[in-house]
């Protein structure tokens, strides 16, 4: 798949060689160290693109599995019983990191480290930014895989170990925190020599703004630390104290959010096609009900009204599809039931069985359930001309993270204030995304809507139920970030059947089905160069009784403690 960013990178690559002599071009094609002579700006661009343009991950990991497990959305036909068992062709993030992203970021480090001392000193910021991105991507991989190579990874072509050891997740979290702490300090400190910065065309996240990278690094420390809320809360408290007092600061506004404002056609065609191959995604019943009942403005940014317009309703009556005495339902937002046994409930089956009418020579399907605003995930869908926003760490997310931390008593910040800031920021983020992606029938958010929503009974902050309220709003905020929605449910156990946003149990013949919690962890094949280290890592993880069988997607990794 080629995107506008990709085309830019290819042009940059080509221009770099245009002025080279034939002899110089030959050197780049024969020198084993050729790649480390590429400009680090180009390498960063390619690493950022590779981090975000994984269409196989979109098709399988995100659309087919994680979105359903986290109940962000599901198929119009509901779930089958295999929803908790199947994850074929998943875990594409693993290969993308170790084959593409990681090597590029290591190349930046090696390129700078081989520069003359004075030039190396002036590229410290550039080297450090590559480390921040490397941590973020490695964390994303370990999040569903557990132990991975990190400290010794990507070193083979630089004379390092051909058989890198695997770091445990406990080790990784300590390494990540130390590297991000150092990065935030370096990037927020004026260096002894003037620093080079990435050009705004190369740095697709922050346009070369080093201070924003410093805040991003410090903020990511906080987000990563919260994964340890069940495993090691004391470590979380220590990190929280350090982050909130660090001179780098943290993300404090939407303009400082860590996100990719994708160019037009970034997710065009191929496996990015979210409604292709006969798939049609809709909202989940509990999610849509909660948003409808609270008059949540994001409802129209997340989902489309169902097909039961007044004109379609009248046509259905005129054509005998429905009774002449049927009453028009002004509510046009409904979610599909995710329980695989929904077909056994006659009251709910109407959500599974759409009706059809004729409009001219065309057959129109009338679904009761609301389809997703697919352009939020793929702006190009159905001839769309908008652009997408891919969030990494947003201001809204960080507000909810800090609100949860404060509500748990792990900081002295004001949980209520941060909660409301998060709600406000989330509404405005999705309004902006809807406008940017040119969603169907975009209707701008108004200030009065924001005020009204924050005054709803279930939304007004109450100390006694504050933690649940924070988690539910954080969950809705992760609509565009499947992995974090899934992680939030795993970490907090919310939403559930007892929260205001109700997750119904998934039942099969009287047995409650358990939500998957990771991807399959494959044993190494005979002949794998790193067979012993990989095999040992799995055996070590299996010492935890919650790990289960490596092939089971319902087993747990270290941070996901019961």
């Amino acid at each position: 798949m080629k995107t506008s960013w990709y085309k830019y990178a290819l042009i940059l690559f080509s221009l770099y060689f245009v002025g080279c002599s034939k002899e110089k071009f030959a050197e780049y094609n024969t020198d084993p160290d050729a790649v480390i002579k590429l400009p680090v700006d180009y390498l960063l661009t390619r690493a950022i693109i590779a981090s975000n343009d994984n269409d196989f991950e979109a098709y399988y990991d995100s659309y087919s599995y994680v979105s359903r497990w986290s109940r962000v959305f599901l198929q119009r036909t509901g779930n089958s019983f295999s929803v908790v068992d199947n994850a074929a062709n998943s875990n594409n993030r693993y290969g993308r990191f170790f084959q593409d992203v990681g090597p590029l970021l290591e190349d930046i480090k090696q390129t700078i480290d081989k520069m003359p001392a004075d030039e190396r000193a002036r590229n410290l910021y550039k080297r450090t930014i590559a480390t921040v991105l490397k941590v973020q991507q490695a964390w994303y991989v370990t999040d569903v895989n557990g132990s991975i190579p990190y400290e010794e990874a990507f070193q083979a072509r630089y004379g390092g170990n051909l058989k890198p050891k695997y770091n445990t997740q406990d080790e990784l979290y300590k390494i990540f925190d130390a590297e991000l702490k150092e990065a935030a300090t370096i990037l927020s400190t004026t260096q002894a020599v003037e620093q080079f910065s990435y050009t705004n065309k190369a740095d697709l996240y922050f346009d070369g703004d080093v201070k924003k990278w410093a805040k991003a690094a410090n903020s990511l420390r906080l987000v990563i630390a919260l994964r340890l809320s069940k495993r090691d809360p004391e470590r979380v408290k220590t990190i929280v104290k350090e982050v909130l007092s660090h001179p780098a600061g943290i993300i404090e506004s939407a303009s400082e959010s860590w996100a990719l404002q994708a160019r037009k056609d970034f997710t065009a065609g191929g496996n990015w096609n979210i409604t292709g191959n006969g798939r049609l995604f809709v909202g989940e019943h509990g999610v849509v009900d909660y948003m409808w009942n609270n008059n949540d403005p994001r409802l129209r940014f997340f989902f489309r009204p169902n097909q039961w317009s007044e004109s379609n309703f009248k046509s259905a009556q005129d054509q005998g599809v429905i009774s002449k005495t049927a009453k028009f339902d002004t509510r046009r937002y409904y979610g599909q039931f995710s329980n695989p046994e929904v077909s056994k409930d006659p009251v709910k089956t109407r959500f599974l069985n759409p009706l059809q009418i004729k409009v001219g020579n065309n057959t129109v399907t009338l679904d009761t359930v609301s389809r997703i605003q697919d352009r939020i995930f793929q702006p190009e869908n159905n001839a769309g001309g908008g652009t997408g926003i891919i969030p990494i760490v947003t201001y809204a997310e960080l507000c909810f993270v800090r609100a949860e931390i404060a509500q748990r008593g792990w900081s002295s910040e004001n949980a209520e204030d941060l909660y409301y800031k998060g709600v406000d920021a989330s509404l405005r983020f999705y309004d902006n995304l809807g406008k940017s992606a040119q969603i169907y029938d975009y209707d701008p958010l108004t200030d009065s809507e924001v005020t009204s929503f924050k005054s709803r009974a279930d939304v007004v902050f109450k100390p006694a139920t504050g933690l649940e309220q924070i988690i539910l709003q954080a969950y809705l905020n992760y609509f565009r970030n499947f992995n974090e929605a899934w992680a939030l449910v795993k970490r907090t156990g919310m939403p559930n059947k007892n929260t205001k946003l109700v997750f119904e149990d998934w039942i099969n013949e009287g047995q409650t089905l358990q939500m998957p919690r990771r991807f399959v962890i494959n044993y190494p094949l005979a002949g794998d160069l790193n067979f012993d280290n990989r095999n040992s890592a799995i055996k070590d993880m299996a010492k935890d009784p919650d790990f289960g069988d490596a092939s089971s997607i319902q087993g747990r990794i270290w941070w996901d403690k019961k």
Side-chain angles (χ1 to χ4, degrees), residues 147 287 338 440 540:
S147 301
V287 174
S338 58
Y440 309 102
D540 184 64

Side-chain angles (χ1 to χ4, degrees), residues 27 34 43 47 51 121 128 183 209 234 310 318 365 415 472 482 525 533:
E27 175 188 336
L43 295 173
S51 300
T128 303
D209 191 326
E234 292 304 314
E310 289 191 63
D318 293 343
T365 299
L472 295 187
F482 307 107
L525 299 174
N533 283 334

Side-chain angles (χ1 to χ4, degrees), residues 416-432:
E416 179 177 350
D417 180 57
L418 289 165
Y419 165 78
Y420 283 125
K421 286 181 178 179
V423 170
D424 190 273
S426 182
L427 298 184
R428 298 186 189 284
F429 171 82
Y430 281 101
D431 173 54
N432 183 44

